[in-house]
Amino acid sequence: MKQPLMRWFDSDVGYSFRTSPMAIVAALIAGICVFCAVFADFVAPHQPFDLTTLVLSDARLPPAWQDGGSMKYFLGTDDQGRDILSALMYGSRISLLVGLASVVLSVLIGVGLGLLSGFAGGRLDAFIMRVCDVMLSFPSILVALLIDGVGKALWPNAHDLLAFSVLVLAISLTGWVQYARTVRGSTMVERQKDYVQAARVIGVA
């Protein structure tokens, strides 16, 4: 583990990162956000989903630095008295999970189809690229509405799971195209190199 980390640290990317104060600050902020999301049960000052801890008299309080604010609720409260800072920490869990799942699914679809398209070529390549063009013509919101409508018709009682699946699929089905085109281009370049041609001549590929 130490050797790959040191190799990355000595690489061009590592050098650019450690010599850029803005990149370091951004990485620290992102790390803090991820830490607060993962360990929200221990870091969050309040439990926004525990109705027994809500105080309606504390509803709609401004942030702590404004008049009428309180350090007890650093970012203020909503109309039900829930701490906004704690709600953000807990809510960011879903946001991170949706983002991670949608990117993983987009990469799996895009890389797989990009490799197939670039390696096979011909009609299959043309078909996959036309599918990419069609997918780019549909906004994510229309794809989400379509998936939501079909999902509600098939599973009318799966509310939370359906909402999560709709978000992941809507982002993935419109995000895989960029990965597919990038991998296709790299595959087509690699396919024309000498070692690939030599492998074909000797019957290996």
Side-chain angles (χ1 to χ4, degrees):
M1 181 66 184
K2 185 177 179 181
Q3 186 175 1
L5 185 62
M6 292 301 298
R7 188 161 53 244
W8 175 86
F9 191 77
D10 294 333
S11 66
D12 293 337
V13 177
Y15 176 80
S16 300
F17 175 79
R18 69 175 184 265
T19 55
S20 174
M22 186 173 296
I24 295 175
V25 172
L28 289 175
I29 294 175
I32 292 173
C33 291
V34 172
F35 177 84
C36 291
V38 174
F39 299 100
D41 292 330
F42 308 99
V43 178
H46 301 276
Q47 171 53 267
F49 303 110
D50 187 0
L51 300 180
T52 60
T53 63
L54 300 183
V55 181
L56 293 179
S57 60
D58 291 337
R60 297 184 178 179
L61 290 178
W65 59 86
Q66 295 183 2
D67 294 336
S70 172
M71 289 302 298
K72 182 180 179 182
Y73 306 105
F74 186 71
L75 293 182
T77 59
D78 61 8
D79 54 0
Q80 295 182 354
R82 291 177 296 192
D83 180 43
I84 293 179
L85 178 60
S86 300
L88 287 174
M89 290 182 181
Y90 279 92
S92 59
R93 288 178 166 181
I94 301 298
S95 300
L96 290 174
L97 189 58
V98 168
L100 181 61
S102 60
V103 168
V104 169
L105 186 57
S106 296
V107 169
L108 290 176
I109 298 174
V111 171
L113 291 179
L115 287 171
L116 180 62
S117 177
F119 180 77
R123 293 183 177 179
L124 182 60
D125 178 32
F127 174 75
I128 294 177
M129 288 301 101
R130 296 299 76 76
V131 172
C132 290
D133 295 336
V134 171
M135 293 305 302
L136 287 175
S137 65
F138 288 99
S140 300
I141 184 64
L142 293 181
V143 178
L145 290 174
L146 175 62
I147 298 173
D148 183 56
V150 174
K152 285 183 178 179
L154 296 177
W155 302 285
N157 297 323
H159 299 293
D160 294 338
L161 180 61
L162 179 61
F164 178 81
S165 302
V166 165
L167 286 174
V168 172
L169 289 176
I171 297 173
S172 301
L173 290 179
T174 55
W176 65 269
V177 176
Q178 56 184 344
Y179 298 105
R181 287 188 164 182
T182 302
V183 172
R184 171 183 176 268
S186 300
T187 303
M188 294 180 69
V189 171
E190 203 71 22
R191 190 180 62 178
Q192 302 301 324
K193 289 188 175 180
D194 294 338
Y195 74 92
V196 178
Q197 301 298 332
R200 287 177 174 175
V201 169
I202 64 177
V204 175

